[in-house]
């Protein structure tokens, strides 16, 4: 283990080696026994641990807890999926209505053309009198 790794672990887990990951303890103990600078790093981390342990624990008020929970991103995200589903459904409904309107409009035009073609075809088969009636 290098001194940089020891410093990173001391900053993360503190000066008490019992709090460290089990696979890192033996390496740290051997480095601390061999290097006085490593011992100084662990002593500094232990001093910080002592200060943190001596500091009073402050519990947040119920009002602060409620405000933080209301402002959390997860609280707003719960209402968004419902809105997104509603908007997605509205989009599908609008697309379906547009398709029906376009289909009806095209069907009228195509059926009118087909009827006119049928009348003209029948007129050629029946004779001159029918064509004069159609004009």
């Amino acid at each position: 283990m290098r001194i940089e790794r020891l410093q990173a672990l001391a900053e993360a887990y503190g000066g008490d080696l019992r709090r460290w990951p089990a696979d890192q303890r033996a390496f740290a103990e051997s480095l601390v026994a061999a290097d006085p600078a490593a011992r100084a790093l662990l002593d500094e981390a232990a001093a910080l641990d002592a200060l943190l342990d001596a500091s009073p624990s402050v519990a947040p008020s119920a009002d602060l807890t409620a405000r933080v929970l209301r402002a959390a991103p997860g609280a707003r995200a719960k209402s968004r999926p419902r809105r997104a589903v509603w908007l997605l459904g509205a989009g599908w409904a609008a697309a379906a209505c547009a398709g029906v309107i376009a289909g009806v409009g095209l069907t009228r035009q195509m059926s009118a053309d087909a009827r006119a073609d049928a009348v003209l075809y029948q007129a050629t088969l029946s004779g001159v009198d029918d064509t004069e009636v159609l004009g």
Side-chain angles (χ1 to χ4, degrees), residues 8-20:
L9 289 170
E11 289 172 358
Y13 297 105
D16 186 2
L17 291 179
R18 292 176 292 183
R19 296 181 188 168
W20 288 35

mmCIF file with all atom_site columns, all heavy atoms in Angstrom, residues 8-20:
data_model
loop_
_atom_site.group_PDB
_atom_site.id
_atom_site.type_symbol
_atom_site.label_atom_id
_atom_site.label_alt_id
_atom_site.label_comp_id
_atom_site.label_asym_id
_atom_site.label_entity_id
_atom_site.label_seq_id
_atom_site.pdbx_PDB_ins_code
_atom_site.Cartn_x
_atom_site.Cartn_y
_atom_site.Cartn_z
_atom_site.occupancy
_atom_site.B_iso_or_equiv
_atom_site.pdbx_formal_charge
_atom_site.auth_seq_id
_atom_site.auth_comp_id
_atom_site.auth_asym_id
_atom_site.auth_atom_id
_atom_site.pdbx_PDB_model_num
ATOM 1   N N   . ALA A 1 8  ? -6.243  8.324  1.430  1.00 0.00 ? 8  ALA A N   1
ATOM 2   C CA  . ALA A 1 8  ? -7.617  8.253  0.909  1.00 0.00 ? 8  ALA A CA  1
ATOM 3   C C   . ALA A 1 8  ? -8.495  7.394  1.815  1.00 0.00 ? 8  ALA A C   1
ATOM 4   O O   . ALA A 1 8  ? -9.653  7.753  2.107  1.00 0.00 ? 8  ALA A O   1
ATOM 5   C CB  . ALA A 1 8  ? -7.606  7.699  -0.510 1.00 0.00 ? 8  ALA A CB  1
ATOM 6   N N   . LEU A 1 9  ? -7.973  6.266  2.275  1.00 0.00 ? 9  LEU A N   1
ATOM 7   C CA  . LEU A 1 9  ? -8.752  5.406  3.171  1.00 0.00 ? 9  LEU A CA  1
ATOM 8   C C   . LEU A 1 9  ? -8.975  6.054  4.530  1.00 0.00 ? 9  LEU A C   1
ATOM 9   O O   . LEU A 1 9  ? -10.054 5.921  5.123  1.00 0.00 ? 9  LEU A O   1
ATOM 10  C CB  . LEU A 1 9  ? -8.063  4.049  3.329  1.00 0.00 ? 9  LEU A CB  1
ATOM 11  C CG  . LEU A 1 9  ? -8.107  3.139  2.099  1.00 0.00 ? 9  LEU A CG  1
ATOM 12  C CD1 . LEU A 1 9  ? -7.190  1.939  2.277  1.00 0.00 ? 9  LEU A CD1 1
ATOM 13  C CD2 . LEU A 1 9  ? -9.518  2.690  1.817  1.00 0.00 ? 9  LEU A CD2 1
ATOM 14  N N   . ALA A 1 10 ? -7.976  6.765  5.031  1.00 0.00 ? 10 ALA A N   1
ATOM 15  C CA  . ALA A 1 10 ? -8.118  7.456  6.320  1.00 0.00 ? 10 ALA A CA  1
ATOM 16  C C   . ALA A 1 10 ? -9.169  8.560  6.209  1.00 0.00 ? 10 ALA A C   1
ATOM 17  O O   . ALA A 1 10 ? -9.947  8.778  7.143  1.00 0.00 ? 10 ALA A O   1
ATOM 18  C CB  . ALA A 1 10 ? -6.778  8.031  6.758  1.00 0.00 ? 10 ALA A CB  1
ATOM 19  N N   . GLU A 1 11 ? -9.214  9.264  5.077  1.00 0.00 ? 11 GLU A N   1
ATOM 20  C CA  . GLU A 1 11 ? -10.231 10.301 4.884  1.00 0.00 ? 11 GLU A CA  1
ATOM 21  C C   . GLU A 1 11 ? -11.626 9.683  4.772  1.00 0.00 ? 11 GLU A C   1
ATOM 22  O O   . GLU A 1 11 ? -12.611 10.298 5.184  1.00 0.00 ? 11 GLU A O   1
ATOM 23  C CB  . GLU A 1 11 ? -9.909  11.123 3.643  1.00 0.00 ? 11 GLU A CB  1
ATOM 24  C CG  . GLU A 1 11 ? -8.693  12.024 3.821  1.00 0.00 ? 11 GLU A CG  1
ATOM 25  C CD  . GLU A 1 11 ? -8.263  12.698 2.530  1.00 0.00 ? 11 GLU A CD  1
ATOM 26  O OE1 . GLU A 1 11 ? -8.889  12.441 1.465  1.00 0.00 ? 11 GLU A OE1 1
ATOM 27  O OE2 . GLU A 1 11 ? -7.306  13.490 2.576  1.00 0.00 ? 11 GLU A OE2 1
ATOM 28  N N   . ALA A 1 12 ? -11.710 8.500  4.205  1.00 0.00 ? 12 ALA A N   1
ATOM 29  C CA  . ALA A 1 12 ? -13.015 7.868  4.021  1.00 0.00 ? 12 ALA A CA  1
ATOM 30  C C   . ALA A 1 12 ? -13.499 7.156  5.284  1.00 0.00 ? 12 ALA A C   1
ATOM 31  O O   . ALA A 1 12 ? -14.684 7.231  5.627  1.00 0.00 ? 12 ALA A O   1
ATOM 32  C CB  . ALA A 1 12 ? -12.951 6.881  2.863  1.00 0.00 ? 12 ALA A CB  1
ATOM 33  N N   . TYR A 1 13 ? -12.608 6.441  5.969  1.00 0.00 ? 13 TYR A N   1
ATOM 34  C CA  . TYR A 1 13 ? -13.021 5.582  7.092  1.00 0.00 ? 13 TYR A CA  1
ATOM 35  C C   . TYR A 1 13 ? -12.545 6.058  8.455  1.00 0.00 ? 13 TYR A C   1
ATOM 36  O O   . TYR A 1 13 ? -12.941 5.484  9.466  1.00 0.00 ? 13 TYR A O   1
ATOM 37  C CB  . TYR A 1 13 ? -12.519 4.150  6.864  1.00 0.00 ? 13 TYR A CB  1
ATOM 38  C CG  . TYR A 1 13 ? -13.113 3.517  5.635  1.00 0.00 ? 13 TYR A CG  1
ATOM 39  C CD1 . TYR A 1 13 ? -12.365 3.373  4.482  1.00 0.00 ? 13 TYR A CD1 1
ATOM 40  C CD2 . TYR A 1 13 ? -14.436 3.088  5.627  1.00 0.00 ? 13 TYR A CD2 1
ATOM 41  C CE1 . TYR A 1 13 ? -12.906 2.799  3.343  1.00 0.00 ? 13 TYR A CE1 1
ATOM 42  C CE2 . TYR A 1 13 ? -14.988 2.522  4.493  1.00 0.00 ? 13 TYR A CE2 1
ATOM 43  C CZ  . TYR A 1 13 ? -14.218 2.379  3.353  1.00 0.00 ? 13 TYR A CZ  1
ATOM 44  O OH  . TYR A 1 13 ? -14.764 1.825  2.234  1.00 0.00 ? 13 TYR A OH  1
ATOM 45  N N   . GLY A 1 14 ? -11.696 7.057  8.497  1.00 0.00 ? 14 GLY A N   1
ATOM 46  C CA  . GLY A 1 14 ? -11.229 7.579  9.779  1.00 0.00 ? 14 GLY A CA  1
ATOM 47  C C   . GLY A 1 14 ? -9.941  6.929  10.248 1.00 0.00 ? 14 GLY A C   1
ATOM 48  O O   . GLY A 1 14 ? -9.305  6.140  9.547  1.00 0.00 ? 14 GLY A O   1
ATOM 49  N N   . GLY A 1 15 ? -9.561  7.273  11.490 1.00 0.00 ? 15 GLY A N   1
ATOM 50  C CA  . GLY A 1 15 ? -8.290  6.822  12.037 1.00 0.00 ? 15 GLY A CA  1
ATOM 51  C C   . GLY A 1 15 ? -8.344  5.469  12.715 1.00 0.00 ? 15 GLY A C   1
ATOM 52  O O   . GLY A 1 15 ? -7.301  4.895  13.036 1.00 0.00 ? 15 GLY A O   1
ATOM 53  N N   . ASP A 1 16 ? -9.521  4.934  12.962 1.00 0.00 ? 16 ASP A N   1
ATOM 54  C CA  . ASP A 1 16 ? -9.656  3.637  13.609 1.00 0.00 ? 16 ASP A CA  1
ATOM 55  C C   . ASP A 1 16 ? -9.662  2.552  12.530 1.00 0.00 ? 16 ASP A C   1
ATOM 56  O O   . ASP A 1 16 ? -10.585 2.465  11.717 1.00 0.00 ? 16 ASP A O   1
ATOM 57  C CB  . ASP A 1 16 ? -10.954 3.594  14.418 1.00 0.00 ? 16 ASP A CB  1
ATOM 58  C CG  . ASP A 1 16 ? -11.074 2.329  15.236 1.00 0.00 ? 16 ASP A CG  1
ATOM 59  O OD1 . ASP A 1 16 ? -10.145 1.492  15.211 1.00 0.00 ? 16 ASP A OD1 1
ATOM 60  O OD2 . ASP A 1 16 ? -12.107 2.172  15.909 1.00 0.00 ? 16 ASP A OD2 1
ATOM 61  N N   . LEU A 1 17 ? -8.623  1.710  12.525 1.00 0.00 ? 17 LEU A N   1
ATOM 62  C CA  . LEU A 1 17 ? -8.500  0.683  11.484 1.00 0.00 ? 17 LEU A CA  1
ATOM 63  C C   . LEU A 1 17 ? -9.616  -0.366 11.567 1.00 0.00 ? 17 LEU A C   1
ATOM 64  O O   . LEU A 1 17 ? -9.867  -1.062 10.588 1.00 0.00 ? 17 LEU A O   1
ATOM 65  C CB  . LEU A 1 17 ? -7.121  0.006  11.569 1.00 0.00 ? 17 LEU A CB  1
ATOM 66  C CG  . LEU A 1 17 ? -5.928  0.890  11.187 1.00 0.00 ? 17 LEU A CG  1
ATOM 67  C CD1 . LEU A 1 17 ? -4.625  0.121  11.345 1.00 0.00 ? 17 LEU A CD1 1
ATOM 68  C CD2 . LEU A 1 17 ? -6.055  1.408  9.771  1.00 0.00 ? 17 LEU A CD2 1
ATOM 69  N N   . ARG A 1 18 ? -10.292 -0.459 12.684 1.00 0.00 ? 18 ARG A N   1
ATOM 70  C CA  . ARG A 1 18 ? -11.399 -1.427 12.792 1.00 0.00 ? 18 ARG A CA  1
ATOM 71  C C   . ARG A 1 18 ? -12.569 -1.041 11.875 1.00 0.00 ? 18 ARG A C   1
ATOM 72  O O   . ARG A 1 18 ? -13.388 -1.880 11.528 1.00 0.00 ? 18 ARG A O   1
ATOM 73  C CB  . ARG A 1 18 ? -11.879 -1.530 14.236 1.00 0.00 ? 18 ARG A CB  1
ATOM 74  C CG  . ARG A 1 18 ? -10.830 -2.169 15.151 1.00 0.00 ? 18 ARG A CG  1
ATOM 75  C CD  . ARG A 1 18 ? -11.303 -2.160 16.563 1.00 0.00 ? 18 ARG A CD  1
ATOM 76  N NE  . ARG A 1 18 ? -11.327 -0.743 17.012 1.00 0.00 ? 18 ARG A NE  1
ATOM 77  C CZ  . ARG A 1 18 ? -11.648 -0.356 18.229 1.00 0.00 ? 18 ARG A CZ  1
ATOM 78  N NH1 . ARG A 1 18 ? -11.996 -1.252 19.133 1.00 0.00 ? 18 ARG A NH1 1
ATOM 79  N NH2 . ARG A 1 18 ? -11.639 0.905  18.564 1.00 0.00 ? 18 ARG A NH2 1
ATOM 80  N N   . ARG A 1 19 ? -12.654 0.230  11.487 1.00 0.00 ? 19 ARG A N   1
ATOM 81  C CA  . ARG A 1 19 ? -13.724 0.687  10.592 1.00 0.00 ? 19 ARG A CA  1
ATOM 82  C C   . ARG A 1 19 ? -13.378 0.468  9.109  1.00 0.00 ? 19 ARG A C   1
ATOM 83  O O   . ARG A 1 19 ? -14.218 0.630  8.257  1.00 0.00 ? 19 ARG A O   1
ATOM 84  C CB  . ARG A 1 19 ? -13.983 2.177  10.802 1.00 0.00 ? 19 ARG A CB  1
ATOM 85  C CG  . ARG A 1 19 ? -14.488 2.517  12.170 1.00 0.00 ? 19 ARG A CG  1
ATOM 86  C CD  . ARG A 1 19 ? -14.722 4.008  12.262 1.00 0.00 ? 19 ARG A CD  1
ATOM 87  N NE  . ARG A 1 19 ? -15.042 4.410  13.623 1.00 0.00 ? 19 ARG A NE  1
ATOM 88  C CZ  . ARG A 1 19 ? -15.074 5.666  14.022 1.00 0.00 ? 19 ARG A CZ  1
ATOM 89  N NH1 . ARG A 1 19 ? -14.813 6.640  13.181 1.00 0.00 ? 19 ARG A NH1 1
ATOM 90  N NH2 . ARG A 1 19 ? -15.368 5.946  15.262 1.00 0.00 ? 19 ARG A NH2 1
ATOM 91  N N   . TRP A 1 20 ? -12.175 0.139  8.839  1.00 0.00 ? 20 TRP A N   1
ATOM 92  C CA  . TRP A 1 20 ? -11.695 -0.002 7.458  1.00 0.00 ? 20 TRP A CA  1
ATOM 93  C C   . TRP A 1 20 ? -12.139 -1.338 6.870  1.00 0.00 ? 20 TRP A C   1
ATOM 94  O O   . TRP A 1 20 ? -12.427 -2.285 7.611  1.00 0.00 ? 20 TRP A O   1
ATOM 95  C CB  . TRP A 1 20 ? -10.169 0.056  7.431  1.00 0.00 ? 20 TRP A CB  1
ATOM 96  C CG  . TRP A 1 20 ? -9.596  1.425  7.680  1.00 0.00 ? 20 TRP A CG  1
ATOM 97  C CD1 . TRP A 1 20 ? -10.087 2.378  8.501  1.00 0.00 ? 20 TRP A CD1 1
ATOM 98  C CD2 . TRP A 1 20 ? -8.419  1.949  7.108  1.00 0.00 ? 20 TRP A CD2 1
ATOM 99  N NE1 . TRP A 1 20 ? -9.284  3.480  8.489  1.00 0.00 ? 20 TRP A NE1 1
ATOM 100 C CE2 . TRP A 1 20 ? -8.243  3.243  7.631  1.00 0.00 ? 20 TRP A CE2 1
ATOM 101 C CE3 . TRP A 1 20 ? -7.476  1.465  6.229  1.00 0.00 ? 20 TRP A CE3 1
ATOM 102 C CZ2 . TRP A 1 20 ? -7.189  4.067  7.284  1.00 0.00 ? 20 TRP A CZ2 1
ATOM 103 C CZ3 . TRP A 1 20 ? -6.420  2.287  5.874  1.00 0.00 ? 20 TRP A CZ3 1
ATOM 104 C CH2 . TRP A 1 20 ? -6.285  3.567  6.390  1.00 0.00 ? 20 TRP A CH2 1
#
